[in-house]
């Protein structure tokens, strides 16, 4: 570092949303300042409006037939590829997690490791979940009776507010690995790891619209997603602790019988094994009867 | 013969298609040379200016009650169209039912203006629509290419009218138009107009094949002088189909034509209008360019199929306050 006058001027960044594989600004034109845990300015993030949520749902709906129609094996490969690209971007994720969550370098490293490992773990589930939750049912007749798991459709995900990367992976990966497409509302105060994750998605093999990431307030956007008739499921993890809002969103979600993953009372310990519950929350069971013999 | 036109007082029958109410075009239309001189003497269209004006009008923000009005008006203006080789009587019946009651869950939802089908499906559509007030429009004259002999085109038209079509959508001979044989195009429109009898005639230019905005303006005047009741942008089979600037130029033409002759002609953009937002942009252009008088299903139509569902979704959104989805409307 030389004398102050020759110091380089900071590039003050304003990040954008991730909708349909593109990075648009918010339709509202609004953005908000993001600070680190010590209160220092880090960057601006786009403040998503209800119309951005609407556009994201349209994009997710459009992507659904293609994504759910891929083989489970292919979805696994793509999610594994996402983990690979995240690995390449480790320094950026470390910095983002450290700033957002105020972690020490060592703990930030652990969080990023956990996040990437969890994504690899979920990638492995793509072609196995059907074997776990599907079945060949015994029936009293000359029929094969087979139950298989199918994705629910477009899932709105309110991502955890505290764990900005690991928590995000824990809600996004289980929704999309089974063939759903997702509209994700990131943590409001800690959106930057989600923004970097969007950049990773855009540069890996995930088709546009499969994951759409909105930065902004879950309390503002949540009601629009919960009442949206073209959303088939909603994960309320991001509003853990806010029981009034959770009730309101569950009531709104009832209109088109959305699958609702209810929020925990407090954010869980994301380092624990989540089990298959997060995946089965957004799966439907299809049962077919097929005659045996001629 | 002019029963259907009685509702529109400014419309008058041009005798043999060659005369408007206040202006005699016979000196223009008696030969190819005079017709060419007239059409090429029309003021040229500033392409950049037209594009810019259409784009500027498209940025108007239409909200709340104005939007509700615009959506209902747009639904009333839709010519619900199915023009596929795979059309069946069942599909036409379903479409006709949808035209009468676009949103069965909401009795306040208006009916569309018309159902637009191929001539062989007219009888089916007529039977389903009955006296509901929804018109039957038929595309005739060797739609969509228009590549057939005149007597075949006329037979096609008469056939559709006999089967009960209220409106005939004809295509002009773009080959003749582009090679400058304007009189041939003119006489063909006049002949089809006569074959229509009491049915309304919409003249399709297929603006995607006309190359320039000047040609769109010329085609508009040609069709209006020949007695067309409506001028229509496209068949929907050629890209680009309807665009905002092209529709704007046609609206300018009908406005100028009414100023010159007192006769009012309708405009129908068709093809490529899929969202409510687009439809509202067109309505803004209609209001700003042609004027309030054209904001009526008798004078402005949308040729569309997927547009209706989006309009219904927007309508439902405004009524219920929550976003709707395509799952709640029919596939067609």
């Amino acid at each position: 570092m030389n004398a102050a006058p020759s110091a380089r001027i900071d590039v003050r960044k304003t990040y954008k949303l991730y909708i349909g594989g593109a990075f648009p600004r918010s339709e509202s034109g609004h953005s908000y300042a993001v600070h680190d845990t010590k209160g220092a300015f880090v960057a601006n993030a786009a403040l998503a409006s209800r119309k951005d949520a609407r556009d994201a749902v349209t994009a997710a709906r459009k992507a659904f037939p293609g994504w759910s129609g891929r083989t489970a094996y292919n979805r696994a490969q793509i999610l594994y590829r996402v983990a690979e690209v995240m690995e390449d971007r480790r320094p950026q994720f470390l910095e983002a997690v450290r700033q957002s969550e105020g972690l020490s370098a060592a703990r930030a490293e652990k969080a990023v490791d956990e996040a990437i490992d969890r994504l690899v773990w979920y990638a492995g589930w793509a072609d196995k979940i059907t074997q776990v939750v599907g079945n060949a049912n015994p029936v009293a007749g000359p029929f094969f009776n087979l139950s298989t798991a199918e994705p629910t459709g477009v899932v709105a995900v309110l991502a955890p507010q505290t764990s900005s990367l690991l928590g995000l992976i824990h809600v996004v990966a289980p929704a999309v690995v089974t063939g759903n497409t997702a509209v994700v509302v990131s943590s409001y105060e800690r959106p930057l790891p989600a923004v970097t994750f969007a950049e990773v998605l855009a540069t890996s093999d995930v088709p546009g619209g499969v994951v759409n990431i909105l930065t902004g307030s879950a309390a503002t956007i949540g009601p629009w997603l919960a009442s949206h008739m073209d959303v088939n499921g909603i994960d309320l993890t991001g509003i853990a602790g806010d029981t009034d809002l959770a009730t309101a969103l569950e009531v709104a979600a009832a209109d088109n019988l959305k699958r609702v993953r209810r929020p925990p009372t407090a954010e869980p310990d994301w380092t624990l094994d989540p089990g298959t519950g997060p995946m089965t929350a957004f799966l439907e069971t299809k049962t077919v009867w097929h005659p045996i013999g001629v | 013969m002019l029963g259907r036109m009685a509702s529109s007082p400014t419309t008058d029958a041009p005798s043999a298609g060659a005369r408007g109410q206040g202006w005699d075009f016979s000196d223009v239309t008696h030969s190819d040379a005079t017709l060419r001189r007239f059409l090429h003497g029309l003021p040229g269209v500033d392409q950049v200016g037209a594009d810019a004006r259409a784009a500027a009008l498209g940025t108007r923000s239409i909200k709340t009650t104005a939007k509700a009005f615009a959506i209902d008006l747009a639904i009333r203006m839709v010519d619900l169209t199915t023009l596929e080789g795979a059309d069946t009587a069942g599909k036409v019946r379903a479409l006709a039912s949808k035209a009468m009651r676009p949103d069965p869950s909401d009795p306040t939802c208006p009916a569309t203006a018309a159902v637009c089908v191929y001539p062989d499906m007219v009888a089916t559509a007529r039977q389903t629509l009955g006296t509901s007030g929804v018109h039957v429009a038929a595309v005739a004259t060797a739609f969509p290419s228009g590549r057939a002999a005149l007597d075949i085109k006329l037979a096609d038209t008469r056939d559709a009218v006999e089967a009960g079509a209220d409106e005939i959508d004809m295509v002009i001979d773009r080959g003749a138009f582009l090679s400058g044989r304007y009189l041939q195009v003119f006489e063909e429109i006049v002949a089809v107009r006569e074959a229509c009898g009491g049915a309304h005639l919409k003249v399709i230019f297929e603006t995607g094949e006309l190359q320039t905005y000047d040609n769109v303006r010329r085609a508009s005047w040609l069709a209006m002088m020949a007695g067309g009741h409506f001028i229509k942008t496209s068949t929907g089979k050629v890209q680009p189909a309807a665009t905002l600037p092209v529709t704007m130029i046609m609206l300018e033409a009908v406005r100028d034509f009414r100023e010159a002759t007192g006769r009012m002609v309708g405009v129908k953009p068709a093809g490529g209008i899929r969202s409510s937002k687009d439809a509202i942009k067109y309505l803004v252009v209609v209001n700003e360019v042609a004027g309030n008088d054209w904001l009526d299903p008798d004078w402005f139509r949308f040729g569309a199929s997927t547009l209706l569902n989006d309009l219904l979704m927007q309508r439902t959104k405004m009524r219920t306050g929550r976003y709707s989805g395509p799952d709640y409307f029919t596939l067609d």
Side-chain angles (χ1 to χ4, degrees):
Chain A
M1 280 289 158
N2 290 329
S6 66
R8 184 167 172 261
I9 298 170
D10 279 349
V11 177
R12 287 167 71 96
K13 286 169 281 193
T14 301
Y15 291 107
K16 299 198 258 184
L17 306 171
Y18 182 56
I19 299 174
F23 290 93
R25 289 179 205 289
S26 168
E27 165 278 334
S28 65
H30 290 234
S31 60
Y32 65 103
V34 178
H35 300 96
D36 65 16
T37 44
K38 297 200 181 73
F41 174 82
V42 181
N44 292 303
L47 184 64
S49 69
R50 66 176 170 90
K51 292 191 177 178
D52 297 315
R54 174 201 63 187
D55 294 348
V57 171
T58 308
R61 173 58 62 198
K62 201 168 158 219
F64 180 71
W67 182 243
S68 58
R70 283 174 189 252
T71 61
Y73 179 68
N74 184 232
R75 282 200 298 272
Q77 285 180 312
I78 289 172
L79 287 197
Y80 187 77
R81 172 78 187 137
V82 174
E84 279 180 357
V85 179
M86 284 180 78
E87 191 68 35
D88 287 345
R89 291 229 195 187
R90 276 183 74 83
Q92 202 180 343
F93 277 112
L94 284 174
E95 178 71 2
V97 168
R98 203 184 48 71
Q99 282 176 330
S100 300
E101 301 181 18
L103 302 178
S104 66
R107 295 189 62 186
E109 190 143 349
K110 187 158 180 290
V112 173
D113 284 347
E114 289 263 3
I116 295 173
D117 292 351
R118 189 54 65 194
L119 190 56
V120 172
W121 185 81
Y122 271 119
W125 269 110
D127 54 359
K128 298 171 188 71
I129 187 72
T130 305
Q131 298 159 53
V132 174
V133 299
N135 197 28
N137 309 308
V139 288
F143 296 96
F144 290 119
N145 185 272
L146 305 170
S147 293
T148 47
E150 301 225 323
T152 300
V154 174
V155 176
V157 176
L158 306 183
Q161 300 298 324
T162 316
S163 180
S164 56
L165 181 66
L166 182 56
L168 178 76
I169 298 295
H170 264 273
V171 289
V172 175
V176 298
V177 71
T178 53
N180 297 298
T181 52
V183 175
V184 183
V185 182
S186 76
S187 165
Y188 179 78
E189 288 185 355
R190 305 172 172 184
L192 298 188
V195 169
T196 307
F197 184 60
E199 286 167 4
V200 166
L201 293 170
T203 50
S204 43
D205 299 326
V206 183
V210 170
V211 181
N212 305 276
I213 296 183
L214 307 173
T215 49
S217 156
T220 311
I221 309 169
W224 292 101
L225 289 170
S227 67
H228 199 308
M229 299 297 277
D230 203 25
V231 173
N232 306 110
I234 187 164
D235 182 339
L236 299 177
T237 305
I239 53 169
D242 188 345
T243 46
D244 289 347
L245 181 59
T247 307
L249 295 195
E250 285 182 51
V251 169
D255 268 342
N256 74 336
L257 305 179
K258 280 182 192 64
R259 297 269 170 209
V260 176
R261 194 169 164 221
R262 306 182 77 174
T265 47
E267 236 182 83
D269 179 357
W270 296 113
T271 58
L272 301 178
D273 180 345
T276 54
M279 284 180 284
T280 54
F282 300 112
L283 281 178
E284 308 297 323
T285 301
K286 179 175 83 177
T287 299
V288 292
W289 295 65
H290 191 283
I292 295 172
V294 280
Chain B
M1 163 187 163
L2 298 167
R4 277 185 38 74
M5 287 158 52
S7 61
S8 38
T10 50
T11 312
D12 200 63
S15 63
R19 233 151 37 90
Q21 197 171 41
W23 196 1
D24 184 355
F25 287 112
S26 55
D27 55 336
V28 172
T29 59
H30 74 268
S31 79
D32 230 344
T34 52
L35 195 53
R36 167 191 299 265
R37 198 174 309 133
F38 176 81
L39 292 177
H40 285 255
L42 288 168
V45 181
D46 167 6
Q47 187 185 338
V48 175
D51 286 343
R53 177 154 159 76
L57 289 173
T59 61
R60 292 275 174 88
S61 181
I62 308 293
K63 300 292 180 202
T64 62
T65 50
K67 185 176 177 187
F69 170 80
I71 286 174
D72 276 13
L73 181 61
I75 292 173
R76 288 167 54 219
M77 286 174 167
V78 167
D79 280 6
L80 198 56
T81 303
T82 181
L83 298 171
E84 302 297 332
D87 283 350
T88 60
K91 183 174 179 192
V92 171
R93 276 196 291 270
L95 202 74
S97 307
K98 183 169 182 177
M100 291 187 284
R101 297 288 302 277
D103 184 353
S105 65
D106 181 6
T108 65
C109 181
T112 69
V115 169
C116 184
V117 292
Y118 272 117
D120 64 327
M121 289 295 171
V122 167
T124 312
R126 182 80 275 165
Q127 195 188 2
T128 311
L129 291 169
T131 55
S132 64
V134 177
H135 298 160
V136 180
V139 293
T141 71
F143 182 92
S145 65
R147 300 250 74 91
L150 181 60
D151 53 343
I152 293 173
K153 293 182 182 179
L154 296 179
D156 199 13
T157 308
R158 282 190 209 103
D159 186 42
V161 174
E162 270 166 32
D166 307 296
E167 302 172 1
I168 298 295
D169 290 24
M170 72 167 286
V171 287
I172 63 165
D173 183 340
R174 279 89 72 190
F177 183 89
L178 290 170
S179 50
R181 286 177 276 133
Y182 297 128
L183 193 60
Q184 185 188 334
V185 179
F186 178 84
E187 282 171 349
E188 215 169 88
I189 300 173
V190 171
V192 174
R193 166 84 161 74
E194 271 166 16
C196 283
H200 262 188
L201 176 65
K202 304 196 199 103
V203 185
I204 306 174
F205 301 151
E206 196 65 289
T207 51
E209 293 180 347
L210 292 188
Q211 318 296 343
T212 66
Y213 289 171
D214 286 342
N215 276 342
V216 174
R217 181 170 282 176
R218 285 171 196 146
S220 302
W221 276 85
L222 189 66
M224 291 188 292
M225 290 191 293
H229 300 104
F230 255 83
I231 52 178
K232 174 174 168 184
T233 59
S234 335
T235 60
K237 304 287 184 196
V238 168
Q239 288 301 321
T243 65
L244 207 50
V246 156
T247 309
M248 189 183 80
I249 288 158
M250 289 165 61
L251 285 162
E252 286 170 354
V254 297
R255 176 198 63 195
D256 295 347
F257 190 78
R258 183 172 75 165
E259 237 162 65
T261 67
R263 191 166 81 87
M264 206 162 148
V265 174
V267 178
K268 175 178 172 184
I273 307 166
R274 294 203 172 79
S275 69
S276 306
K277 206 170 192 172
D278 285 346
I280 291 173
K281 284 180 189 173
Y282 279 88
L283 294 181
V284 168
V285 172
V286 171
N287 191 51
E288 295 299 312
V289 174
N292 218 349
D293 293 349
W294 269 269
L295 282 180
D296 186 289
D298 283 343
W299 300 113
F300 194 79
R301 295 279 182 84
F302 293 107
S305 43
T306 46
L307 170 65
L308 182 58
N309 272 4
D310 196 64
L311 287 166
L312 294 175
M313 269 193 269
Q314 289 295 323
R315 200 174 183 280
T316 309
K317 156 75 173 65
M318 297 203 77
R319 191 163 50 88
T320 63
R322 63 179 183 219
Y323 287 116
S324 191
D327 286 358
Y328 306 93
F329 299 96
T330 57
L331 296 168
D332 36 36

